[in-house]
Each structure stands twice: as C-alpha cells, then as structure tokens.
Amino acid sequence: MEGLIVNLTAMLDPQLIGTLLLQWGGRIVAALLIFILGRWIAGAIAGATAKAMDRGGVDPTLTRFLRSLIYMTLLIFVALTAVGALGVPTTNFLAILGAAGLAVGLALKDSLSNFSSGVMLVFFRPFKSGDFVDAGGVTGTVDTIGIFNTVIKTGDNRVITVPNSMIYGSTITNYSAEATRRIDLVIGVSYDDEVARARDLIMGVLQSDDRILKDPAPVVLLLELADSSVNFAVRPWVNSGDYWVVRADVLERVKKALEDAGLSIPYPQHDVHIVSGASANA
C-alpha cells in the first residue's frame, strides 16, 4: 500500500506534470500547426496547378482529376509529417498503413479496377465530355468522366452510369473524334431502269445539298447486281454534327427524285411457278 502511495505521489509531482504538459503540449501544437498550414499549402498548390492547366487549355476533366490527385498526395505527406512531429515513428505507421491498404485493396478490388480504368481514360483520353460515343455497351453523349464511373446521356435523355472498367475493357467508338463523317448508303433500282440515269439522279441530289462537303467529293458507285435490284453505294461527306439530319434528308430526297423520274426502288420478291395437269403427274 505504501509503495502504491509513493508511486502515485511520484506520478502526481507538479514538476513532472508540468514538464510532460510542456513537452506534449508543444508537440501537439506543432503537429496542429503543421497539419493546418500544410493543408492550406496543399490546397493552394493544387488550385494554382488547376488554374495553370485551365489557362493552357487542358481538358476540364483532366484538370479536375489532377487537382484532386495532387491535393490528396500532398495531404497524405502533410499528415505523416504531423504524426512525426508528435514523436510517433512514421516507419511503423507506414507499415500499418501498408497492411491496411492491402486489406482494403483486396476488399475493394472492383472499385480499384474502376479507379485504374478511370486514370487510363483521363490520361489517354479516347473521348471527352460532350463526345458522342459507343462505349461499354451504351451509345450516347458523354456527360462526365469520374474516377470510378462515366455518365452517358442517351438520345432519349436517359442518364446511364457505366463503370470505367467496362468502358476501358471494351471497344470504344468515338463518333465525335473527327470534324467530318462519311454517310454510307445503299440505294437500289430496278434492273429495268437505266443505270447511268439513276446514278446521275442520285448525284444531283447530293450536289444540290449545301451541307454535303465538296472536299472530299461525294461518290456514287455501282456496288452490286443483287437478287432483286441494282445497288449503288452512295457516300457523301458531312460535318459530324450534321450526320443524322443529312442522312435522313438524302434518303427522302433520293426516293422522291427516282420516283419523279419514273424509276423504281424494288423490294425482294420471288416468282412462284405452279405446274398442273399432265406435267405435274410426270
């Protein structure tokens, strides 16, 4: 009992308590100052980097991603420095953090796969916000490219969130990557119609539309002698934004031009011959 009292008296020594408070109080204040000041500096560096990239014309998606990455990296460094100021060995802390990171990584392997795919999409940039794409089994306009998911708006105004791993692991078709696109149509006329006249009528429709580019020039070629029709390959070039409207207009105007000229667009048909009487018995 007396030993316990002696120990308590030694622990409650005002001079010892004052020394400990002074020592740990200074460490805590230093750690707080390092963290607060470091976090402010990390935010300032990340913000200045983002502004510099904006002035340089860098894609906004890439700017946001790099800003977040720089800020988080600097913040982790600041946190480790603050922990070191408390007197905690950072090597042990890093070992614990690494083990925890491994466990979390195994538990969140799908999320990490989406994250790594998001990094690839941001850096290699197969598409950007506003592009019309076919990616991950979804066709539509890219709204946002996130770290884990990409948001695509379809033509009927549905908003679809696609995991980045599904997009990066499949074929990506970017319809907006180039300023111009070629419309590929197959127009068929009857075997009874004159080939040269049909070709001239189709070419006339193409040349009369100001939205169809002169360079490259539109092409009308005899494609094949099919079962029920003589088919032409019709290939005009347009600006990417005009693709669907011009395609629909060309089909309508070509049909009207052929009909007005007395030419026909045949449809598949079969001739059936019925054998009767003596021939059938034979």
Side-chain angles (χ1 to χ4, degrees):
M1 186 68 180
E2 293 181 357
L4 178 62
I5 295 175
V6 171
N7 290 333
L8 289 174
T9 303
M11 293 176 60
L12 296 176
D13 183 11
Q15 184 176 359
L16 177 60
I17 293 175
T19 301
L20 291 175
L21 287 176
L22 182 63
Q23 181 181 3
W24 282 100
R27 290 181 179 180
I28 293 173
V29 170
L32 287 175
L33 288 176
I34 290 173
F35 183 77
I36 294 173
L37 183 62
R39 188 175 65 173
W40 179 82
I41 293 175
I45 293 175
T49 304
K51 290 180 180 179
M53 289 189 290
D54 287 337
R55 289 194 298 268
V58 179
D59 184 77
T61 303
L62 180 60
T63 299
R64 290 193 298 268
F65 178 81
L66 290 179
R67 185 186 187 282
S68 300
L69 183 62
I70 292 172
Y71 178 74
M72 293 304 299
T73 302
L74 293 177
L75 192 61
I76 292 174
F77 176 77
V78 168
L80 290 176
T81 305
V83 171
L86 289 173
V88 178
T90 55
T91 53
N92 295 336
F93 184 78
L94 288 174
I96 296 174
L97 186 63
L102 178 61
V104 172
L106 292 175
L108 301 176
K109 59 180 181 179
D110 292 337
S111 296
L112 292 177
S113 175
N114 290 328
F115 173 77
S116 61
S117 298
V119 172
M120 295 300 180
L121 290 175
V122 169
F123 278 96
F124 289 104
R125 300 177 64 188
F127 53 78
K128 62 182 183 299
S129 297
D131 284 352
F132 186 75
V133 301
D134 183 357
V138 179
T139 301
T141 302
V142 178
D143 184 54
T144 56
I145 306 172
I147 294 178
F148 297 101
N149 303 296
T150 296
V151 178
I152 299 177
K153 289 185 178 180
T154 62
D156 55 356
N157 213 28
R158 289 179 297 155
V159 178
I160 301 178
T161 302
V162 186
N164 286 333
S165 59
M166 291 182 61
I167 294 178
Y168 195 73
S170 62
T171 301
I172 300 173
T173 303
N174 189 342
Y175 297 101
S176 304
E178 300 294 338
T180 59
R181 288 183 63 187
R182 190 182 74 185
I183 300 174
D184 290 335
L185 300 174
V186 177
I187 305 295
V189 298
S190 172
Y191 272 93
D192 297 329
D193 296 330
E194 186 180 350
V195 171
R197 188 182 180 200
R199 182 174 56 243
D200 292 341
L201 287 170
I202 297 173
M203 181 60 75
V205 171
L206 301 181
Q207 292 176 342
S208 64
D209 194 327
D210 294 334
R211 296 167 299 180
I212 294 178
L213 303 178
K214 302 299 186 290
D215 185 20
V219 174
V220 179
L221 301 172
L222 183 59
L223 180 63
E224 62 178 344
L225 301 178
D227 293 339
S228 303
S229 62
V230 178
N231 292 337
F232 291 93
V234 182
R235 297 172 179 173
W237 286 83
V238 296
N239 293 320
S240 295
D242 296 333
Y243 180 87
W244 291 108
V245 176
V246 175
R247 186 182 188 278
D249 289 347
V250 166
L251 283 172
E252 181 178 350
R253 294 173 59 199
V254 165
K255 182 177 185 299
K256 186 176 185 304
L258 293 177
E259 289 176 345
D260 291 345
L263 279 68
S264 61
I265 300 177
Y267 49 85
Q269 54 187 321
H270 297 279
D271 293 332
V272 179
H273 301 275
I274 299 177
V275 180
S276 60
S279 298
N281 295 330

